[in-house]
């Protein structure tokens, strides 16, 4: 298992070294892996991700002025943000922090106090494991903490999503922010992306979730992602409904032949994926790893053939994982075009599978994939002195 306490110690000791006293607060927000329900969130549909035991950590203390000064240990860079003069400043990680300050103000919760601190993370960057959502939620916890604002996970997920959509300029859905805000240890979370209602479902006993990173990165993803979104919106409009979530399998089967082939395949993915996701949540609840695995396999096929967001490396790593005896199911995870696959595996087979897939993938593509055997973690947290009541939170 991955050692999360080492990350906490890393930011708290760096804080103490820098500021000469212990930090008042420690904010943490996790990355995520999606078990099933891909490209459904922006169709008001269902997703089933879990927060992982890799996170962004910020050790901090409030300031008396309205500046945020944050040092990133990973980038060895300190950024100063004037909360009274928010402007874009050349991209990079600090845009996510600025974006959250901007978005809080848009939502009527303009930050009152500044803060200063040290940040570090152990979510691989650009791998599709939501390091940016984690940074947004860690920053949101920091702002909320210094201002003594009550923490509402779904509301803060919306704030973070708006930061990403409106400030950073990435048109993502709500899944990554929701799971980073609301994850639950030992559980995956079925999220209704329309109502933001959640249902925590336990992971099957004696199984492990294994993330396999192809090492390929998304490249052209933004234009392709936006194109898929537009195709889904056009399909929903054609059916005369607000979102593809509102088209049931029967209506689709009756009218599919009237659609042009591309739109038909995109819509079929979303409609069948929503059904698979609901089924997978029920199967998880029953501890039926075999059924969840089968649904994951089907999801991959649909993403590959109908939604067309896979690629050779993802297909290969999924097939390699799948051919291993202890594997219940495997699929690409996240936006696609590169990044990671996820597999549901018998816990006692996880190590062997990781080694076997690494070896065979390495032989095929010339580089060894990173493999993370993950544990489902809690969503964003804040520990330390409650600055409103003076009590330890
Ligand atoms: C990215 C986006 C999410 C979601 C997935 C695809 O991770 O950030 O909102 O759309 O792609 O399921």
């Amino acid at each position: 298992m991955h050692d999360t306490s080492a990350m906490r110690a890393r930011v708290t000791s760096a804080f103490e070294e820098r500021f000469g006293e212990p930090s008042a607060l420690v904010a943490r927000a996790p990355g995520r892996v999606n078990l099933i329900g891909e490209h459904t969130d922006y169709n008001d549909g269902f997703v089933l991700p879990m927060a992982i035991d890799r996170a962004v950590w910020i050790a901090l203390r409030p300031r008396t002025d309205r500046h945020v000064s944050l040092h990133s240990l990973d980038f060895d860079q300190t950024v100063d943000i004037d909360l009274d003069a928010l402007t874009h400043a050349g991209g990079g990680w600090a845009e996510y922090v600025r974006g959250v300050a901007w978005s809080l103000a848009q939502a009527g919760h303009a930050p009152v106090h500044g803060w200063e601190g040290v940040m570090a993370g152990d979510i691989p960057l650009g791998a599709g494991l939501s390091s940016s959502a984690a940074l947004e939620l860690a920053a949101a916890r920091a702002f909320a903490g210094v201002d003594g604002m009550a923490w509402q996970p779904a509301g803060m997920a919306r704030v973070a999503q708006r930061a990403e959509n409106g400030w950073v300029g990435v048109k993502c859905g709500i899944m990554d922010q929701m799971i980073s805000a609301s994850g639950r240890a030992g559980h995956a979370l079925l999220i209704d992306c329309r109502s933001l209602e959640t249902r925590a479902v336990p992971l099957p006993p004696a199984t492990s979730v294994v993330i396999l990173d192809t090492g390929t990165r998304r490249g052209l993803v933004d234009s392709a992602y936006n194109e898929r979104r537009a195709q889904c919106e056009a399909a929903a409009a054609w059916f005369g409904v607000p979102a593809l979530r509102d088209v049931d399998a029967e209506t689709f089967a009756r009218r599919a032949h009237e659609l042009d082939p591309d739109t038909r395949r995109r819509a079929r993915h979303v409609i069948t994926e929503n059904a698979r996701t609901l089924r997978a949540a029920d199967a998880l609840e029953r501890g039926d790893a075999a059924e969840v695995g089968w649904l994951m396999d089907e999801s991959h096929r649909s993403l590959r053939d109908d939604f067309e967001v896979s690629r050779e490396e993802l297909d290969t790593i999924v097939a390699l994982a799948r051919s291993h005896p202890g594997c219940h199911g495997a699929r690409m995870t996240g936006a696609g075009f590169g990044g990671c696959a996820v597999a549901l595996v018998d816990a006692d087979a996880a190590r062997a599978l990781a080694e076997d897939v690494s070896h065979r993938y390495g032989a095929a593509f010339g580089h060894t994939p990173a493999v993370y055997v993950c544990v489902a973690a809690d969503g964003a947290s804040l520990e330390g002195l409650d600055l409103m009541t003076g009590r330890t939170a």
Side-chain angles (χ1 to χ4, degrees):
M1 193 171 126
H2 187 60
D3 183 8
T4 52
S5 62
M7 285 303 302
R8 188 189 176 285
R10 186 159 176 239
V11 290
T12 51
S13 64
F15 182 97
E16 223 169 313
E17 215 168 276
R18 217 175 166 84
F19 297 100
E21 61 168 20
S23 58
L25 300 169
V26 181
R28 177 200 63 95
R32 64 101 186 90
V33 65
N34 190 18
L35 297 181
I36 194 164
E38 216 66 82
H39 290 276
T40 45
D41 62 350
Y42 53 82
N43 290 297
D44 278 2
F46 300 93
V47 294
L48 191 59
M50 66 180 222
I52 58 173
D53 50 343
R54 291 175 172 270
V56 170
W57 292 80
I58 305 176
L60 67 137
R61 68 178 181 193
R63 280 169 68 124
T64 47
D65 64 9
R66 290 181 36 78
H67 281 249
V68 170
S69 174
L70 185 54
H71 179 75
S72 162
L73 293 173
D74 301 319
F75 292 93
D76 192 21
Q77 188 189 26
T78 307
V79 165
D80 181 84
I81 298 169
D82 180 353
L83 295 173
D84 292 315
L86 286 173
T87 47
H88 287 87
W93 60 271
E95 289 312 318
Y96 296 98
V97 184
R98 287 192 189 92
V100 169
W102 168 83
S103 182
L104 279 166
Q106 298 282 309
H109 301 295
V112 180
H113 301 95
W115 46 275
E116 57 199 357
V118 172
M119 165 183 114
D122 58 357
I123 308 166
L125 302 181
L129 300 177
S130 293
S131 55
S132 31
L135 172 51
E136 288 155 10
L137 267 305
R141 280 239 85 146
F143 280 112
V146 297
D147 282 350
M149 194 195 297
W151 180 255
Q152 289 168 335
M156 284 300 171
R158 283 263 187 247
V159 163
Q161 184 199 17
R162 190 195 280 205
E164 185 120 4
N165 293 166
W167 187 271
V168 181
V170 176
K171 243 184 138 190
C172 62
I174 191 73
M175 168 169 70
D176 307 345
Q177 289 78 11
M178 253 317 266
I179 187 62
S180 183
S182 336
R184 186 155 147 214
H187 292 71
L189 216 58
L190 177 69
I191 302 171
D192 178 334
C193 296
R194 173 169 279 167
S195 67
L196 297 192
E197 272 166 31
T198 61
R199 183 175 127 213
V201 283
L203 292 161
T207 58
S208 287
V209 171
V210 180
I211 299 175
L212 305 151
D213 187 350
T214 60
T216 57
R217 294 300 178 247
R218 315 198 306 194
L220 273 176
V221 70
D222 290 344
S223 54
Y225 184 87
N226 291 341
E227 185 194 70
R228 296 298 185 285
R229 280 192 76 137
Q231 288 171 323
C232 290
E233 278 158 25
W238 187 88
F239 279 104
V241 292
L244 278 180
R245 182 281 179 54
D246 302 302
V247 181
D248 59 42
E250 218 174 283
T251 310
F252 180 74
R254 202 173 59 242
R255 301 199 54 198
H257 67 279
E258 298 170 50
L259 286 162
D260 74 83
D262 268 359
T263 314
R264 181 162 60 232
R265 279 182 287 124
R266 305 295 186 252
R268 184 166 57 205
H269 166 71
V270 174
I271 293 161
T272 56
E273 184 79 349
N274 274 329
R276 280 188 290 271
T277 305
L278 291 170
R279 249 181 96 175
D282 290 343
L284 275 185
E285 216 141 52
R286 292 194 309 273
D288 189 342
E291 168 143 354
V292 179
W294 179 78
L295 291 161
M296 290 169 79
D297 294 344
E298 289 297 308
S299 169
H300 184 76
R301 264 180 226 123
S302 179
L303 287 157
R304 183 191 63 200
D305 301 339
D306 276 352
F307 217 63
E308 296 181 283
V309 290
S310 190
R311 64 187 282 165
E312 193 195 346
E313 288 87 343
L314 283 167
D315 295 342
T316 303
I317 215 162
V318 163
L320 289 174
R322 201 59 196 88
S323 69
H324 205 272
C327 180
H328 294 286
R331 54 182 287 276
M332 55 149 278
T333 184
F337 305 101
C340 295
V342 61
L344 184 67
V345 176
D346 282 334
D348 54 13
R351 277 283 141 234
L353 177 135
E355 274 165 34
D356 181 44
V357 172
S358 285
H359 179 72
R360 287 159 69 198
Y361 183 87
F365 292 103
H367 66 269
T368 308
V371 180
Y372 312 102
V373 179
C374 282
V375 171
D378 278 326
S381 59
L382 182 76
E383 50 168 302
L385 207 61
D386 183 322
L387 299 167
M388 295 294 279
T389 63
R391 284 198 306 265
T392 306

